[in-house]
Amino acid sequence: MRLFAELGVDEPPPSASMWAHEVAPRTLLVDGPGGVEGYTSTDALGELGYVGQLVVAPSARRRGLGRWLMERVAERFREQGCRSWALNVKRDNVAALGLYTSLGMRRARQGINLKVTRAQVAALPPVPGGLVVVPLEAGDWAPLTGAFGMMPGKLARYATLASHRLLRLAREDGVEEAPLGMMDVRSGGAVLFPFFAASLPHARALLEGAFSLLGTSRESMGVVVTDDAPLERILRDAGAGVSLETFELRGALPEP
């Protein structure tokens, strides 16, 4: 709980139940003289290793602990059959960017966390008729991953977690030439991530669908907009606030 706050994200810390069932099995803790000095939560997604969180306590920084921890993560990924790795990092975290790039990671995408209200969603173009928001099925994972450039294996992994609700945009008549969009409504609806839409009207359809699911009492929610300058511009011009700006880094796992 103490170190989770260092992430500076919109999501609340995991509950005791979520920690026990979803986070603890994939988390490594660094124990030091003063107690836990850092941790990392990782996922092996086939050949890709994903570093979901990596935190070093403020009192333990600038001693090489972050690099040491990343080296242990790389060892673990190699043992699990991974050939590459990826993570998200704040754009202004110069020290972390220096560490990750020194380990061979390079910028692949960028995202921005926006706090969006119902009124701001109305600034987007009208929703086309005949669209519905439906749960993802296993057959949707590969097409959506390919269409929106997501990390391979990530949707399959999220589908196993109770704290994630994966939804996609579909046509009522079932006729679709390409994926229209998808979103992951995280536990409590604090943030939509991943969030992708084929167009601005499709983005509005997803956002309206999310607000409908969260209920009339919810006036705002977090949305992570990834590599979508038009959507970001309209929402920011409408008054959406920025809480976080990130880069997605990817690279080959370093040799032992």
Side-chain angles (χ1 to χ4, degrees), residues 12 22 26 41 43 52 105 107 130 141 155 178 190 224 233 248:
E22 297 187 10
R26 56 191 179 93
S41 294
D43 268 317
M105 291 185 166
R107 188 187 308 174
W141 300 340
L155 292 180
V224 180
R233 182 174 60 253
E248 180 187 304

Side-chain angles (χ1 to χ4, degrees), residues 15-153:
S15 64
S17 175
M18 188 189 302
W19 163 258
H21 293 97
E22 297 187 10
V23 185
R26 56 191 179 93
T27 297
L28 299 174
L29 301 176
V30 180
D31 201 13
V36 176
E37 295 186 341
Y39 79 91
T40 181
S41 294
T42 65
D43 268 317
L45 308 174
E47 293 190 348
L48 174 71
Y50 178 59
V51 185
Q53 297 176 19
L54 187 144
V55 178
V56 174
S59 60
R61 291 173 187 166
R62 292 175 291 280
R63 302 202 315 242
L65 183 56
R67 179 176 296 276
W68 180 87
L69 190 51
M70 285 294 286
E71 290 170 351
R72 304 291 78 73
V73 168
E75 289 176 357
R76 191 182 197 193
F77 281 153
R78 285 192 292 266
E79 293 171 354
Q80 294 172 308
C82 299
R83 299 168 61 88
S84 61
W85 56 352
L87 52 76
N88 291 285
V89 59
K90 292 180 181 179
R91 297 186 205 176
D92 60 359
N93 193 337
V94 177
L97 284 166
L99 168 61
Y100 300 145
T101 55
S102 74
L103 293 170
M105 291 185 166
R106 297 294 180 264
R107 188 187 308 174
R109 316 192 74 168
Q110 64 181 29
I112 184 166
N113 294 35
L114 299 176
K115 186 175 182 180
V116 179
T117 66
R118 294 174 184 269
Q120 290 156 0
V121 171
L124 293 168
V127 175
L131 297 179
V132 291
V133 175
V134 299
L136 256 67
E137 298 179 354
D140 300 320
W141 300 340
L144 286 166
T145 296
F148 299 115
M150 287 183 279
M151 296 179 193

Side-chain angles (χ1 to χ4, degrees), residues 35 52 78 89 110 121 131 160 162 173 193 197 207 221 227-228 230 243:
R78 285 192 292 266
V89 59
Q110 64 181 29
V121 171
L131 297 179
T160 68
D173 59 14
F193 176 67
L207 291 170
M221 61 185 172
D227 285 346
D228 193 335
S243 60

